[in-house]
Amino acid sequence: MATWSNFNLQNSASPLMEQIIFFHDHTLIILIMITILVGYLMINLFFNKYINRFLLDGQMIELIWTIIPTITLIFIALPSLRLLYLLDELNNPLITLKSIGHQWYWSYEYSDFNDVSFDSYMINYNKSDINNFRLLDVDNRIILPMNNQIRIMVTATDVIHSWTIPSLGVKIDANPGRLNQTNLFINRPGIFFGQCSEICGANHSFMPIMIESISIKN
Ligand code: CUA
């Protein structure tokens, strides 16, 4: 989960989030190299006196500074495309969780079982008699088995919400009148937090998502 002064991405708890972090780091390295090169060239422009009255064109340098950025972009585009298709792949999921966004809470349905559904509201930190996670804890948690493929179906009843869990690499919009699909795989037991990330009204910040990941035996 996010803690104080956490500037980076949260630690991943799923294989896909791990891949997303690798891609982020890879792209950031390329970005830093470009920034250093362009910064160096721009600073140099201010401090030189290179003048050539007969310089009208430079075919070779224009060829080079067209081809090099093209190759650089391919190095970003191909891993990005790979990741895009990996994220969309569903590998024979064990169970399906349907999550429905409302103003301002989530409700969940376990459609594989007969009539298992519940609402999930944020708990008031001050009014609770036990310690809980302020602004992130809910009264009814989602319980999912670790080390299994899980299908998530997402929709909404009123306005657009977004079902987002940073440590699991899931971020999908919940649209009224539409059913979106994604998947997740949790590779350890624990609790994982998410929040709505589509500006959905006054209490947008107060409809957290909380997943309790447990062994399938339990
Ligand atoms: Cu629901 Cu923001």
Side-chain angles (χ1 to χ4, degrees):
M1 68 180 291
T3 48
W4 298 117
S5 313
N6 194 355
F7 185 70
N8 270 302
L9 292 166
Q10 292 177 32
N11 288 337
S12 80
S14 81
L16 285 175
M17 189 60 210
E18 193 173 34
Q19 291 297 313
I20 293 172
I21 291 172
F22 288 155
F23 176 68
H24 166 268
D25 295 350
H26 167 80
T27 311
L28 197 65
I29 292 287
I30 293 173
L31 199 69
I32 289 167
M33 290 193 302
I34 294 169
T35 309
I36 290 172
L37 178 69
V38 174
Y40 171 77
L41 293 174
M42 286 177 74
I43 289 166
N44 256 32
L45 286 175
F46 289 103
F47 297 108
N48 74 56
K49 289 193 170 62
Y50 298 145
I51 291 162
N52 186 343
R53 285 197 298 142
F54 305 106
L55 181 69
L56 294 173
D57 67 337
Q59 299 292 332
M60 184 52 77
I61 189 63
E62 290 191 2
L63 195 73
I64 291 167
W65 73 40
T66 305
I67 288 173
I68 288 178
T70 311
I71 293 167
T72 312
L73 286 179
I74 290 169
F75 272 97
I76 300 171
L78 293 183
S80 171
L81 226 51
R82 186 190 86 105
L83 191 57
L84 192 66
Y85 281 96
L86 276 175
L87 288 169
D88 215 33
E89 191 73 45
L90 264 175
N91 305 303
N92 189 24
L94 181 82
I95 58 167
T96 302
L97 173 74
K98 189 192 284 175
S99 65
I100 302 140
H102 309 264
Q103 280 175 320
W104 284 275
Y105 64 98
W106 293 96
S107 67
Y108 298 100
E109 291 175 11
Y110 287 75
S111 311
D112 298 309
F113 308 101
N114 198 18
D115 206 32
V116 177
S117 64
F118 54 90
D119 295 340
S120 181
Y121 282 88
M122 190 183 81
I123 310 179
N124 187 321
Y125 181 74
N126 295 315
K127 286 182 182 156
S128 174
D129 46 344
I130 52 159
N131 280 337
N132 62 52
F133 298 93
R134 193 176 95 92
L135 302 179
L136 288 174
D137 222 320
V138 294
D139 54 359
N140 293 309
R141 300 168 173 182
I142 309 160
I143 298 180
L144 288 173
M146 65 171 180
N147 293 332
N148 275 292
Q149 290 287 341
I150 297 152
R151 170 167 39 211
I152 312 286
M153 312 297 294
V154 184
T155 186
T157 53
D158 34 49
V159 297
I160 305 176
H161 300 272
S162 180
W163 204 78
T164 303
I165 299 160
S167 59
L168 299 176
V170 176
K171 183 172 193 288
I172 189 156
D173 274 15
N175 298 65
R178 181 183 292 209
L179 194 60
N180 283 332
Q181 177 182 262
T182 187
N183 65 297
L184 59 83
F185 182 101
I186 312 170
N187 54 20
R188 65 177 177 85
I191 42 179
F192 303 98
F193 295 95
Q195 285 180 299
C196 178
S197 64
E198 194 75 73
I199 307 297
C200 58
N203 292 325
H204 160 66
S205 309
F206 309 117
M207 46 183 297
I209 302 151
M210 193 176 191
I211 293 183
E212 203 173 311
S213 163
I214 57 170
S215 155
I216 195 162
K217 280 184 295 185
N218 302 314

